Amino acid sequence: MNITKEHTVAEIVSKKLGSDHVFSKYKIDFCCGGGVTLENACKEIGIEFNVLKQEIEALNSKISGDNDLNDLDISSLTEQIREEYHNYIEENIPQIMPISAKVAQVHGSHNTEVVEINNLLQGVEVVLIEMLKNTESALFPAIKSVLELNNKLDEISTNQKEGIKIAINKTEIAQQLVSDTFKEISNLSAHYTVPADGCNSFRFLYEKLHELDHQLQKQVHFNKHVFFPKVLKLIA
């Protein structure tokens, strides 16, 4: 695939795995804002298109065995969501929350932003738990029931279709809330910049938050531009 100025950010993330790291480096929104063209994205941040393109191609060439996500079937995409995103959230949120509370308690009097970050994270935790619950208990089972019909699309019931659409809508609302919150967290933390006198806990917190932010952006992109369109096409 030859990268052109007319391609959208979302298209490149889908075709060139690893490009998400380049977009993150330049603070280009590749999840909710993934519909923007590379030309406009470059203009907005003040970078030459060829510079961005070369970085994406260079990183992509180092990654072997990558598949085009759009070529994977729905069952494979479902397993990838579980393995790459759900497992990550379930493993990392319990690590981050106590560290966030500790940093807020110890440093909050001098670095007031960490108190607000901790409050925001508490809200994010609730939303993420509900999002995973909705996906695992409602969306995935509903999709599985449709796939078990073995392409007999005329046998998909109205209830099955509506169940899938409702579950997707709930996930999209949750994703938007999480994305908006992490934009605020990123701004409060000066894009996860540790203060000069920051302790190891402070540093660990910001590193994990930056990593979590990136993973959640990838998940939003995956759902919005790859998984959900394929599922909705199936039941159309």
Side-chain angles (χ1 to χ4, degrees):
M1 174 190 181
N2 182 41
I3 300 174
T4 68
K5 294 181 179 180
E6 291 72 32
H7 280 117
T8 66
V9 172
E11 287 173 332
I12 299 304
V13 175
S14 297
K15 297 287 184 179
K16 302 282 187 179
L17 296 185
S19 59
D20 53 290
H21 292 283
V22 179
F23 290 133
S24 181
K25 171 184 174 182
Y26 290 109
K27 302 179 186 178
I28 296 174
D29 183 359
F30 60 85
C31 55
C32 296
V36 68
T37 64
L38 294 184
E39 181 177 25
N40 289 334
C42 288
K43 286 180 180 178
E44 185 174 342
I45 64 172
I47 184 176
E48 291 293 329
F49 166 72
N50 285 333
V51 172
L52 186 72
K53 177 180 178 180
Q54 288 170 9
E55 287 195 32
I56 292 173
E57 294 288 15
L59 183 57
N60 186 73
S61 66
K62 295 179 182 179
I63 303 174
S64 60
D66 283 335
N67 295 312
D68 182 343
L69 294 176
N70 294 294
D71 291 338
L72 299 178
D73 60 30
I74 292 175
S75 293
S76 298
L77 292 174
T78 299
E79 286 309 307
Q80 185 158 339
I81 290 172
R82 281 197 175 108
E83 293 173 6
E84 186 169 348
Y85 302 118
H86 288 192
N87 288 347
Y88 175 86
I89 292 171
E90 290 173 345
E91 290 174 5
N92 283 272
I93 287 295
Q95 295 180 35
I96 293 172
M97 296 308 296
I99 296 296
S100 176
K102 177 182 177 181
V103 171
Q105 181 181 12
V106 174
H107 298 278
S109 59
H110 295 95
N111 303 93
T112 55
E113 70 278 2
V114 296
V115 176
E116 190 169 352
I117 287 172
N118 185 54
N119 292 335
L120 290 170
L121 278 176
Q122 290 177 24
V124 165
E125 181 184 25
V126 173
V127 174
L128 286 175
I129 289 172
E130 286 300 313
M131 184 176 74
L132 294 187
K133 181 180 177 181
N134 169 64
T135 304
E136 292 289 350
S137 65
L139 181 58
F140 286 172
I143 292 172
K144 183 179 179 181
S145 69
V146 169
L147 294 177
E148 288 174 347
L149 296 175
N150 294 320
N151 295 319
K152 297 176 182 177
L153 302 183
D154 57 326
E155 295 183 14
I156 302 176
S157 70
T158 300
N159 286 340
Q160 285 176 306
K161 292 181 180 181
E162 287 304 309
I164 289 174
K165 290 177 181 178
I166 290 171
I168 286 177
N169 185 55
K170 286 182 178 179
T171 301
E172 288 177 330
I173 292 172
Q175 288 179 161
Q176 188 63 60
L177 285 170
V178 171
S179 294
D180 290 344
T181 302
F182 265 93
K183 285 178 182 177
E184 192 171 353
I185 290 173
S186 180
N187 289 333
L188 285 168
S189 63
H191 197 58
Y192 309 107
T193 302
V194 181
D197 60 347
C199 65
N200 287 335
S201 293
F202 212 131
R203 191 172 305 280
F204 177 81
L205 174 64
Y206 274 23
E207 286 176 355
K208 294 301 291 185
L209 285 177
H210 196 181
E211 180 184 283
L212 177 60
D213 187 354
H214 184 77
Q215 281 296 108
L216 291 172
Q217 285 190 58
K218 286 177 65 178
Q219 183 180 6
V220 171
H221 162 78
F222 190 101
N223 284 337
K224 182 176 182 179
H225 300 290
V226 180
F227 186 57
F228 291 164
K230 186 162 286 194
V231 172
L232 292 172
K233 183 179 180 180
L234 174 69
I235 63 173

